[in-house]
Amino acid sequence: AGEPPCGLVGNRREKMSDDESQEQTIAEDLVVTKYKMGGDIANRVLKMVVDAAKVGMSVVTLCEKGDEMIMEETGKIFKKEKEMKKGIAFPTCISVNNCVCHYSPLKSDPDYILKEEDLVKVDLGVHVDGFIANVAHTFIIGVNKDTPVSGRKADVVKAAHYCAEAALRLVKPGNQNTQVTVAWNKIAQSFNCTPIEGMLSHQLKQHVIDGEKTIIQNPTDQQKKDHEKTAFEVHEVYAVDVLISTGEGKAKDAGQRTTVYKRDPTQQYGLKMKTSRAFFSEVERRFDAMPFTLRAFEDEKKAKMGVMECAKHELLQPFNVLYEKEGEYVAQFKFTVLLMPNGPMRITSGTFENELYKSELDVKDPDLKALLQSSVSRRNQKRRKKKKVASQSALSATTGTTNEENEAGD
């Protein structure tokens, strides 16, 4: 959230790669492999953090554990490729109850200790060579099959879960981003809940976590006018981010320290302070345009000083810690999906246990019910391969191109 993973609409400027035509997409097998490797690491780190989140556990410690494991696991792959960047694409954030997103405190900040029945959201991201796999998951501390949760917490978790499942079936080539927005509103309403206003799910590209195509949640009338309607296309990748609230769905900055930032590659400024310059060159070297946490710096005090001038002159974009009203609950599910020619491929998600959540409410809309019951099928690849080879042989016979050239233009 903030800007990417769950982004409030603000003034956004795009990072363009030096040469748009050189852009690598999931039309290439190696790119798909890198996404899947990142997705696999993100899922394993998420599971580790969820399993470790018990009563009495410190949020700072959990965030550190998550980030350490991402670095450790990405360090084990593509070892021969010394120049390849890999690691954290979004630092581990753990936002509890009415905290909406981006809570990833420093060691020097007041900590939060997890309690029985806390509603916990874990949000993190991994990248391999700039190909990003983001994931977020919601669960409730101390709940098991014998003591399922009911009431408003169950309502909001189920609403968010069904919104994510609906999006998995709607984010596919030919559909419009507005269809997803409408479905989310209807599902949330059937659980007497509200999607957080103005949050964005972004298209992902190599080294870009906040691509130009977006899906908006619960837009205001002004945002409806401004937000670009667009269709999903094959070979695109999206981080689909669902944030649902038991309250009015308005996320506010409550003055909590921002610890997560990302470089805005479109901005230039000559920093005056030595501390700021040293800090900023470390940001560029270690994180490039990926979000990072101030916790990743050896000297937190210097980082806290250095970030101020950088943020003031918009060299860095903040991911503010946002809150819904006290006493409300916010649930989040985020997954990364590759729009393959044979159907959407979800590469990240947590394990959702439906039987732990007992809600009196359910999805009412018959069309959405049918959508949620439909299977997310990916067409059999073998059959397509045979057809493709046959049609390409025919194509090369008539055009004189080779199979490889046709594949490249696929």
Side-chain angles (χ1 to χ4, degrees), residues 123-135:
D123 183 6
L124 57 90
V126 176
H127 80 96
V128 176
D129 195 19
F131 298 107
I132 298 162
N134 284 329
V135 68

Side-chain angles (χ1 to χ4, degrees), residues 3-4 8-14 200 202 210-212 214 317:
E3 243 305 70
L8 285 169
V9 178
N11 298 324
R12 300 203 41 270
R13 291 161 299 282
E14 251 4 287
L200 295 173
H202 286 271
D210 50 353
E212 55 268 37
T214 57
Q317 296 171 341

Side-chain angles (χ1 to χ4, degrees), residues 27-94:
E28 296 172 50
D29 288 347
L30 181 58
V31 172
V32 174
T33 300
K34 287 171 181 174
Y35 270 116
K36 282 161 93 172
M37 287 170 98
D40 173 57
I41 292 171
N43 292 337
R44 284 189 285 126
V45 175
L46 175 67
K47 185 182 185 315
M48 181 278 294
V49 174
V50 171
D51 291 348
K54 304 272 187 272
V55 173
M57 191 65 175
S58 128
V59 164
V60 173
T61 305
L62 282 174
C63 291
E64 287 179 331
K65 273 178 183 278
D67 290 351
E68 273 165 29
M69 185 171 166
I70 294 173
M71 293 310 290
E72 204 172 294
E73 294 301 310
T74 50
K76 295 175 185 172
I77 56 175
F78 289 109
K79 277 189 151 167
K80 291 199 175 82
E81 317 249 348
K82 295 280 181 255
E83 292 302 295
M84 185 190 286
K85 294 218 162 162
K86 48 194 198 291
I88 295 169
F90 202 78
T92 309
C93 294
I94 296 178

Side-chain angles (χ1 to χ4, degrees), residues 4-5 14-15 24-26 30-43 70 74 85-91 123-136 202-211 236-240 262 287-292 319 334-339 345-349:
E14 251 4 287
K15 174 195 179 179
Q24 290 184 291
T25 73
I26 54 171
L30 181 58
V31 172
V32 174
T33 300
K34 287 171 181 174
Y35 270 116
K36 282 161 93 172
M37 287 170 98
D40 173 57
I41 292 171
N43 292 337
I70 294 173
T74 50
K85 294 218 162 162
K86 48 194 198 291
I88 295 169
F90 202 78
D123 183 6
L124 57 90
V126 176
H127 80 96
V128 176
D129 195 19
F131 298 107
I132 298 162
N134 284 329
V135 68
H202 286 271
Q203 182 186 2
L204 301 173
K205 292 184 173 188
Q206 189 180 17
H207 305 297
V208 181
I209 201 162
D210 50 353
E236 288 180 341
V237 180
Y238 287 87
V240 178
K262 96 179 229 324
F287 309 108
D288 198 29
M290 294 290 171
F292 62 90
F319 290 75
K334 182 190 317 185
F335 62 89
T336 302
V337 63
L338 315 185
L339 302 189
M345 181 197 284
R346 172 161 57 178
I347 59 163
T348 58
S349 67

Side-chain angles (χ1 to χ4, degrees), residues 316-350:
L316 296 176
Q317 296 171 341
F319 290 75
N320 297 336
V321 185
L322 301 174
Y323 287 86
E324 173 55 284
K325 281 199 183 107
E326 189 71 47
E328 302 293 354
Y329 298 100
V330 177
Q332 177 186 28
F333 291 98
K334 182 190 317 185
F335 62 89
T336 302
V337 63
L338 315 185
L339 302 189
M340 303 297 281
N342 59 330
M345 181 197 284
R346 172 161 57 178
I347 59 163
T348 58
S349 67

